[in-house]
Amino acid sequence: MAINSHLKNSLVVVVFVVFGGVSALSAVADNSSAPTATPEEAKIKHWGMPEIGLSFTDIPELEKAYVDATPSDMKDGIPVGKLNTSESNKDILFTLAKEIFKGKHGNYDSLLIAHNGKLVFESYYKRGRVDLSHPQSSATKTYTGLALGRAIQLGYLSMADLDKPVYSFLSELDPAKFVEGVESITLRHALTMTTGIVLSQEQWKNIRENPSEFKGQKEVQAMFEQSEPITPDSQTFRYGTGPGIVMQIIESVVPDTAENFIKNELFGKMGITNYDWRTAPNGLPAAGWKASLTSRDMLKLGILAQDKGRWRGKQIIPEAYIAEATSRQVYTGDDDIYGGGKDVSNQGYGYFWWGTDLTYDDKQYVSTSAQGGGGVYIMLVDALDLIIVVTAHEREDKTQQLVAERILPAFI
């Protein structure tokens, strides 16, 4: 065991010669072991936690980056390998790692890369820790969609149900009070955020600030009563509407609560235990944000999606559902691509997954990603069998452009 550990550390030092020798390595990277959270830091699950008087900004920044091209097998179900590319391509990634540590590209906390189904590059910066769950922001939407897929796999719903009106799953609603057109909102509309629901800022504020009045399905009832009429013209992509309805349907169809269903039937089946998922004012898990996961557990969900809904050989989510979820069901335009740049185009949306084309050397590579504000990504590039996981606390990130420009060429 001691010999293997010595060899591994030696290999890591060798590939880091690109930084300018061992002295340069020691100045920017610590490869003795992946950084871990203290008991106090481990309490921090979200950007702000007033209940314990701490916030994500209270986590001290690492004095040195941790960068490993032969990641450790942590017995967590993630296959590991080594970065098996040419020396020049390794140089691309390690130079990028050095730039990330120096803050050139924003406030990155972690960058993990899996290739051919194995974790081959693992790095932590600033507030990144291997065992610290990181705020996911809107990537939570993706996990809500995966939970629905799990319900389909277990037979609580079917693929045909995606085209049924959402109100038909919610027995506590009163259709007599709906505005015109609510019956046209299907589960597929909710998954693609094309419900057509339009409420004023004051109406949303009233729902948000009076949670006791909108527990459970009362929130959906209010939306269906107060929205402008639903028409084919209104059922276009509108970011934000949909995830809460999906979570309501999960709560309605599974035999246990949605919270326990996620814990036992989705995350539990994949060994994901070090997470937090906050409760929304309606009493259900917050469907659009407020989950928190470690970078390695994010990678697990990327592996699940890239392997067509299978985890360690077992079908967790239907292959047909994953295929639709990760495909661009609607095109949202290129005017506002989060983390984009000159080499990122053709943005679209699936079932809470984003899709773009990444261009390198005049060739386009299809990417699919879970995305969260602050710079959180699980990005799949199937043509290269790549999964890229990023956590960060950078509002103006350029991660998709960085992947196109600096990571793709290392695997082409």
Side-chain angles (χ1 to χ4, degrees):
M1 180 64 71
I3 293 175
N4 289 339
S5 176
H6 173 73
L7 285 174
K8 175 179 176 180
N9 288 336
S10 296
L11 285 170
V12 174
V13 170
V14 168
V15 296
F16 263 91
V17 169
V18 67
F19 280 0
V22 175
S23 60
L25 167 62
S26 63
V28 299
D30 175 8
N31 292 96
S32 56
S33 60
T36 57
T38 67
E40 191 72 4
E41 292 166 359
K43 297 177 184 178
I44 303 172
K45 305 290 186 181
H46 298 278
W47 301 115
M49 297 187 65
E51 65 270 30
I52 61 174
L54 296 171
S55 69
F56 191 71
T57 58
D58 292 313
I59 299 172
E61 294 189 357
L62 297 174
E63 294 183 3
K64 294 184 179 180
Y66 175 84
V67 186
D68 196 345
T70 56
S72 299
D73 183 357
M74 298 181 67
K75 308 302 181 185
D76 56 2
I78 296 176
V80 297
K82 64 179 181 178
L83 191 58
N84 190 21
T85 65
S86 68
E87 290 304 315
S88 61
N89 285 347
K90 288 177 182 177
D91 289 356
I92 292 173
L93 293 180
F94 288 115
T95 299
L96 175 61
K98 182 179 180 181
E99 292 174 0
I100 289 174
F101 172 74
K102 296 292 188 181
K104 180 176 179 180
H105 302 292
N107 296 317
Y108 280 70
D109 297 311
S110 71
L111 169 62
L112 279 63
I113 302 174
H115 187 221
N116 296 328
K118 295 181 178 181
L119 176 62
V120 298
F121 187 88
E122 184 174 18
S123 59
Y124 298 94
Y125 317 86
K126 294 189 179 292
R127 300 187 180 114
R129 309 290 191 271
V130 67
D131 60 346
L132 181 67
S133 61
H134 193 287
Q136 298 292 292
S137 296
S138 286
T140 304
K141 295 177 175 66
T142 304
Y143 314 146
T144 297
L146 292 176
L148 186 85
R150 180 62 177 156
I152 294 174
Q153 178 67 30
L154 292 175
Y156 301 125
L157 292 165
S158 70
M159 291 296 290
D161 286 334
L162 299 182
D163 294 309
K164 290 183 179 178
V166 293
Y167 81 87
S168 66
F169 301 101
L170 304 174
S171 60
E172 298 174 21
L173 301 184
D174 182 1
K177 297 180 179 180
F178 293 168
V179 299
E180 183 180 352
V182 166
E183 68 281 356
S184 69
I185 304 173
T186 66
L187 183 48
R188 195 184 303 274
H189 284 123
L191 287 164
T192 56
M193 295 202 286
T194 57
T195 63
I197 296 171
V198 179
L199 272 68
S200 69
Q201 291 297 321
E202 283 300 314
Q203 288 170 323
W204 284 120
K205 182 180 179 181
N206 181 50
I207 292 173
R208 184 173 61 251
E209 294 183 354
N210 297 282
S212 62
E213 299 179 20
F214 301 102
K215 290 292 184 183
Q217 295 180 23
K218 291 180 181 179
E219 181 184 60
V220 181
Q221 181 74 43
M223 289 191 292
F224 287 176
E225 285 185 27
Q226 298 175 22
S227 174
E228 295 179 12
I230 311 299
T231 68
D233 288 340
S234 73
Q235 288 184 305
T236 57
F237 181 80
R238 181 175 285 105
Y239 191 77
T241 61
I245 295 172
V246 172
M247 188 64 76
Q248 291 276 5
I249 291 173
I250 295 170
E251 175 83 6
S252 179
V253 302
V254 301
D256 204 343
T257 63
E259 178 183 1
N260 287 336
F261 181 77
I262 291 167
K263 177 181 178 181
N264 298 321
E265 290 296 340
L266 179 61
F267 286 173
K269 296 299 182 184
M270 303 176 68
I272 298 175
T273 58
N274 183 12
Y275 76 95
D276 193 61
W277 197 318
R278 289 297 167 101
T279 302
N282 62 16
L284 277 60
W289 65 308
K290 292 192 176 180
S292 181
L293 292 173
T294 69
S295 300
R296 277 190 167 230
D297 285 340
M298 292 169 66
L299 179 61
K300 288 183 181 182
L301 296 171
I303 293 171
L304 173 72
Q306 193 168 71
D307 200 21
K308 301 178 180 179
R310 290 184 291 270
W311 175 248
R312 305 189 73 178
K314 183 177 180 180
Q315 199 75 43
I316 299 294
I317 296 173
E319 181 175 338
Y321 180 85
I322 288 291
E324 292 185 11
T326 57
S327 299
R328 279 166 271 193
Q329 303 291 324
V330 294
Y331 280 83
T332 60
D334 291 356
D335 292 339
D336 186 21
I337 298 180
Y338 188 59
K342 64 182 179 62
D343 299 316
V344 187
S345 62
N346 297 324
Q347 179 176 253
Y349 203 67
Y351 301 160
F352 304 142
W353 288 89
W354 292 93
T356 55
D357 293 339
L358 308 179
T359 301
Y360 179 75
D361 197 22
D362 294 326
K363 183 176 180 180
Q364 290 187 327
Y365 298 85
V366 173
S367 76
T368 303
S369 57
Q371 298 180 16
V376 176
Y377 293 85
I378 305 172
M379 186 175 294
L380 318 177
V381 186
D382 286 345
L384 300 175
D385 207 351
L386 278 180
I387 305 171
I388 298 119
V389 167
V390 171
T391 59
H393 50 286
E394 176 61 64
R395 296 298 301 179
E396 303 298 329
D397 79 282
K398 292 294 182 184
T399 295
Q400 292 198 72
Q401 176 61 32
L402 206 61
V403 169
E405 193 175 335
R406 304 293 298 280
I407 294 179
L408 294 192
F411 295 93
I412 295 173

